[in-house]
Amino acid sequence: MTSFYVSTPIYYVNGSPHIGHAYTTIAADTLARYHRLLGHDVFFMTGTDEHGLKVQRAAEKQGVTPQQLADENSQKFKDLFDRFNITYDRYIRTTEAEHTRVVQELYIRMLANDDIYLDKYEGWYAAADEAFYDESEIQDGKSIETGADVEWVEEESYFFRLSKFQEPLLKWYKENPDCIRPESRYNEVVSFVEGGLQDLSISRTTFDWGIPVPNDPKHVLYVWVDALTNYITGVGAFSDDENWEKFWPCNLHILGKDILRFHAVYWPAFLLSGGVELPEQLFIHGWWLVEGEKMSKRAGNWLDPHQLADQYALDLLRYYMLREIPFGNDGNFANERVIARNNAELADNFGNLVNRTTRMVESFVQGEIKKGQSNQDDAALEKKASDTIEEVHRAMDAREFHKALEAILSLSSELNLYLHNNQPWKLKKDETQIDRLNHVLYQTIEGIRWVATLLLPFVPDAANKVLDAFQVDTAFDSAEHARSFASLEWGSLPDGHTISSPEVLFAKLELPASEEEEKKKPSKKAQKKQEAKEEKKEKPKHIKFQDFEAVELRVGKVLEASQVEGSDKLLLLKVDVGEDEPRQIVAGIGKTYAPEDLLNNHYAVVTNLKPAKIFKIRSEGMMLAADTTDGKLSLANFPDTVAPGTRIG
Ligand code: MSP
């Protein structure tokens, strides 16, 4: 059986987790779930990094022992991951006795390979980063890269001959071009190593919260030697553990960009020295920012994942973080974007599809789905479904979570369009069409089952709710088969299978009133931006593609139009935008258009604006129009060959 080992970095226990920590872990969890659904034997490890000066000092500050602090905070990370339904197979702590054994064994192997010698370290150290810095890397007593305070250190130290590994490392990178992803990080590492490597101080004598150096216990090992080794301790290195054979080398270490050098240079060098195979791939993700700033405890701007989990469903947080920015890029965490994605993609696109389809199945055919008569629309739908799977696998292999989700949601859009084109609500009214009605409902339910199964790694709660309501476990030979990618053969739901409606999957959300107000007030940063903008007025303001994508523009066909009583400017329209029921829209176009001018014409409509009351009438969309040179309006229109409901973009 194919095996898959994925790890997260292990988290420092000097404080509590923030949403950035949850992000790395959610990404790893999504991949672990995805590989399980492929039928792979998965080992997913996360845990805590508990030794070192940073933790020792944090404990001193709080008047507790480092072990007490580690116990308390390690539990906080574990509780958070349990709350987030993280499906780790092993939660490792570097204070476990087994870990000390493995670290010391690796050290002895490095020593035996003549890669360690005793000398004196003189230089700068930043406890916050647990990193040594060159004179050229600091300014005003701080690391230029991270802003952490540095202190001068002079002490006896064991050194690792990192310089000896320059060529072997370059050879590894060259022979394994996928070993560091994204490509820009690979290039960064290669050019850093090409610039030459200095030997690395790997022990300290001025504090004692660490793993003792074998045969010289007044030294404790540098915390990064200790921490990185967790990746092999957890799978039973240097013992007869069967996990070792099965899972090492690790398929994927996931990590943030701030700890690239430790993982891409030091870690493979330690392994080469110890005679251990190298991992297959490191994937480096970006940072979640708050108003453009890195989130950190030091800056005091960190988002508490528990608070976010109180505010949003876990599925939504997972979806947002993986859909909003390409894995590898930085991104701003913004509540209005969480809400926009929830409303447009999860609630309107997928949730609404599930809701209306299952309601029709219950009321038209008493919950029983039957195969009937197919036509060319079905062939196109089935082709779209199989293309979607291919794209999901491609995207997941490239760790492009956002692309995988885009493809899955696009299958959901296709199902909405299929319903629109086949209009089961009309077929229901014609007795001669019962066979076709059955087939349209069967196909849509089958399509929803595919979307839900593909969504299992991303939004497991909602996806499982759909599969529960569809009673898939009784449709396949086992529940495991029913909830795996092996179940994705089109038409696997048996003829005559019964399904029901799940409870609401994704409730629509609104930004809290206080935040709406806040949003209106320009922040200091926004003010600065505005000033900069004024200066460069000639430059056009660019928006991100996601910002554009958040506006749902559809083609709408005007079915009814009348003047709003008491207003010569407003018209009341009934517009078909591809849903079961037409939308009611109040449009300020009465001075240019007479109601009868509009009938049966196709126009551009914004369909995901919050409904508003105009002249006390509810308006559920906005017609797009531009001013003409003679002071009138011109509606953006489309020919009849563009079907109502078609997305514009
Ligand atoms: N203990 C080391 C890792 C040792 S691994 C052998 C460490 N710990 S950490 O707690 O500081 O960070 C753990 C991970 O969280 C890193 O991958 C880091 O990039 C990530 N993040 C920290 N802040 C983050 C954001 N604001 N956004 C996204 N990820 C962030 O480093």
Side-chain angles (χ1 to χ4, degrees):
M1 190 194 279
T2 310
S3 64
F4 182 75
Y5 171 17
V6 58
S7 68
T8 72
I10 47 171
Y11 303 99
Y12 285 129
V13 288
N14 58 312
S16 327
H18 64 59
I19 194 70
H21 300 133
Y23 178 54
T24 318
T25 319
I26 287 171
D29 181 61
T30 303
L31 277 165
R33 288 175 187 261
Y34 169 79
H35 280 271
R36 287 188 198 110
L37 291 170
L38 282 170
H40 296 168
D41 195 357
V42 171
F43 186 75
F44 164 23
M45 188 164 77
T46 188
T48 41
D49 182 357
E50 306 188 0
H51 290 130
L53 189 56
K54 174 175 169 131
V55 173
Q56 176 160 329
R57 286 199 179 148
E60 279 161 10
K61 234 182 174 172
Q62 293 181 34
V64 295
T65 66
Q67 188 65 60
Q68 281 168 331
L69 185 70
D71 289 346
E72 187 187 322
N73 284 329
S74 180
Q75 190 60 42
K76 283 190 192 158
F77 279 92
K78 195 159 193 266
D79 290 345
L80 177 78
F81 298 156
D82 290 340
R83 179 169 187 193
F84 273 64
N85 288 325
I86 301 296
T87 57
Y88 56 80
D89 297 292
R90 169 92 152 90
Y91 187 85
I92 193 166
R93 297 185 54 186
T94 53
T95 48
E96 289 170 19
E98 175 62 4
H99 182 62
T100 297
R101 187 188 71 77
V102 174
V103 172
Q104 292 185 332
E105 169 73 32
L106 181 64
Y107 180 90
I108 289 166
R109 286 174 175 230
M110 285 153 67
L111 191 67
N113 207 40
D114 192 27
D115 294 332
I116 291 176
Y117 60 92
L118 187 64
D119 203 340
K120 188 177 174 199
Y121 179 75
E122 275 186 3
W124 297 103
Y125 191 76
D129 300 335
E130 297 284 19
F132 299 97
Y133 287 110
D134 264 4
E135 199 70 49
S136 63
E137 293 173 307
I138 59 161
Q139 197 177 16
D140 302 332
K142 292 186 189 305
S143 149
I144 296 173
E145 197 185 328
T146 67
D149 290 331
V150 293
E151 58 200 285
W152 185 254
V153 172
E154 273 186 33
E155 61 187 303
E156 182 185 89
S157 171
Y158 285 96
F159 278 75
F160 173 69
R161 288 188 211 282
L162 186 61
S163 54
K164 176 177 148 186
F165 290 89
Q166 181 183 13
E167 286 313 318
L169 284 172
L170 288 170
K171 183 164 175 276
W172 180 54
Y173 306 140
K174 193 156 173 241
E175 287 173 1
N176 301 276
D178 283 339
C179 67
I180 302 165
R181 295 284 90 187
E183 199 183 352
S184 56
R185 299 290 173 201
Y186 173 90
N187 295 335
E188 190 181 323
V189 170
V190 171
S191 70
F192 172 76
V193 175
E194 278 171 349
L197 295 173
Q198 283 173 15
D199 290 350
L200 179 71
S201 159
I202 55 161
S203 76
R204 304 289 304 269
T205 53
T206 45
F207 66 92
D208 61 2
W209 182 236
I211 295 179
V213 168
N215 305 324
D216 197 352
K218 73 173 185 295
H219 287 254
V220 291
L221 275 164
Y222 175 36
V223 67
W224 274 101
V225 177
D226 167 342
L228 288 160
T229 306
N230 93 87
Y231 297 131
I232 59 172
T233 303
V235 276
F238 312 137
S239 73
D240 290 336
D241 198 310
E242 64 177 276
N243 273 348
W244 180 252
E245 287 302 317
K246 210 190 295 175
F247 294 113
W248 192 263
C250 179
N251 301 84
L252 180 64
H253 291 315
I254 294 181
L255 50 130
K257 63 183 185 179
D258 47 329
I259 52 176
L260 171 61
R261 201 177 291 180
F262 303 101
H263 281 81
V265 183
Y266 301 174
W267 180 226
F270 296 160
L271 290 172
L272 284 169
S273 169
V276 181
E277 264 187 275
L278 302 190
E280 210 170 277
Q281 187 177 68
L282 317 178
F283 194 99
I284 292 78
H285 66 73
W287 285 338
W288 279 101
L289 309 171
V290 174
E291 299 205 338
E293 304 287 334
K294 189 189 171 203
M295 208 187 306
S296 75
K297 287 169 194 156
R298 230 180 297 158
N301 63 349
W302 56 291
L303 291 172
D304 176 357
H306 284 290
Q307 211 177 323
L308 287 167
D310 290 341
Q311 199 175 339
Y312 301 118
L314 293 175
D315 273 355
L316 173 56
L317 279 174
R318 291 172 72 103
Y319 181 83
Y320 169 71
M321 297 188 97
L322 299 174
R323 175 71 187 86
E324 182 74 358
I325 51 166
F327 200 50
N329 292 11
D330 288 351
N332 257 314
F333 194 100
N335 286 311
E336 68 266 28
R337 300 286 312 140
V338 181
I339 291 171
R341 291 228 177 256
N342 175 71
N343 291 357
E345 295 166 25
L346 295 177
D348 279 350
N349 183 340
F350 184 56
N352 190 32
L353 169 73
V354 175
N355 188 29
R356 65 194 183 126
T357 309
T358 52
R359 271 192 291 129
M360 283 191 283
V361 171
E362 281 177 335
S363 79
F364 296 175
V365 293
Q366 290 70 54
E368 199 182 319
I369 53 163
K370 291 194 193 116
K371 295 184 189 178
Q373 186 195 330
S374 62
N375 66 19
Q376 76 283 3
D377 265 13
D378 298 291
L381 178 64
E382 290 166 31
K383 162 99 176 50
K384 170 80 181 179
S386 69
D387 288 351
T388 303
I389 295 205
E390 254 180 51
E391 169 59 7
V392 169
H393 292 326
R394 187 210 60 74
M396 293 303 274
D397 281 347
R399 325 299 179 204
E400 292 177 341
F401 301 110
H402 70 301
K403 288 267 174 71
L405 284 168
E406 188 180 277
I408 301 169
L409 267 287
S410 141
L411 175 57
S412 175
S413 303
E414 188 78 9
L415 287 160
N416 276 312
L417 198 64
Y418 175 83
L419 275 186
H420 170 79
N421 292 338
N422 287 280
Q423 309 203 317
W425 48 93
K426 283 208 179 135
L427 296 172
K428 165 73 184 153
K429 291 183 188 145
D430 180 350
E431 274 177 17
T432 67
Q433 295 281 13
I434 179 73
D435 231 25
R436 182 65 194 149
L437 170 67
N438 273 326
H439 201 67
V440 168
L441 294 177
Y442 179 91
Q443 292 282 86
T444 317
I445 291 294
E446 180 66 346
I448 293 173
R449 181 178 74 85
W450 277 47
V451 173
T453 307
L454 290 170
L455 281 177
L456 276 168
F458 301 93
V459 288
D461 291 344
N464 274 314
K465 268 188 208 164
V466 174
L467 298 179
D468 287 346
F470 284 13
Q471 303 188 48
V472 291
D473 298 354
T474 64
F476 290 85
D477 50 9
S478 70
E480 199 186 329
H481 182 193
R483 291 171 203 244
S484 75
F485 294 148
S487 76
L488 295 184
E489 268 182 47
W490 194 271
S492 300
L493 282 180
D495 210 8
H497 186 68
T498 304
I499 63 116
S500 60
S501 301
E503 55 189 277
V504 173
L505 298 176
F506 308 100
K508 287 261 198 131
L509 301 173
E510 284 185 16
L511 208 55
S514 56
E515 270 201 47
E516 288 272 15
E517 281 307 305
E518 267 313 302
K519 282 267 149 313
K520 284 182 197 150
K521 277 198 230 148
S523 64
K524 274 198 186 138
K525 222 170 162 210
Q527 269 171 355
K528 271 201 186 148
K529 264 198 190 151
Q530 182 60 27
E531 283 160 20
K533 208 174 98 193
E534 303 283 12
E535 277 174 28
K536 301 186 190 166
K537 239 188 183 147
E538 69 283 5
K539 282 207 172 171
K541 182 172 179 279
H542 293 126
I543 61 167
K544 291 214 186 82
F545 180 64
Q546 296 102 293
D547 297 326
F548 168 72
E549 227 187 355
V551 180
E552 200 181 64
L553 286 170
R554 290 191 186 275
V555 173
K557 176 178 177 181
V558 177
L559 303 180
E560 290 173 33
S562 58
Q563 202 81 41
V564 169
E565 254 194 63
S567 165
D568 57 355
K569 192 176 155 207
L570 297 177
L571 298 186
L572 176 60
L573 312 177
K574 285 274 162 71
V575 185
D576 173 6
V577 292
E579 297 166 339
D580 290 357
E581 302 287 342
R583 297 267 187 119
Q584 168 169 296
I585 297 177
V586 180
I589 52 175
K591 289 201 170 158
T592 306
Y593 293 91
E596 59 276 16
D597 295 340
L598 304 171
L599 289 181
N600 297 320
N601 290 336
H602 294 204
Y603 297 107
V605 185
V606 184
T607 50
N608 65 343
L609 272 183
K610 200 173 141 191
K613 284 226 160 137
I614 304 177
F615 242 67
K616 296 209 177 129
I617 307 170
R618 182 178 161 87
S619 179
E620 302 165 330
M622 187 175 97
M623 310 294 289
L624 280 192
D627 291 333
T628 59
T629 45
D630 56 355
K632 295 197 165 169
L633 284 168
S634 173
L635 283 167
N637 66 332
F638 287 90
D640 294 355
T641 47
V642 186
T646 307
R647 188 119 191 216
I648 306 169

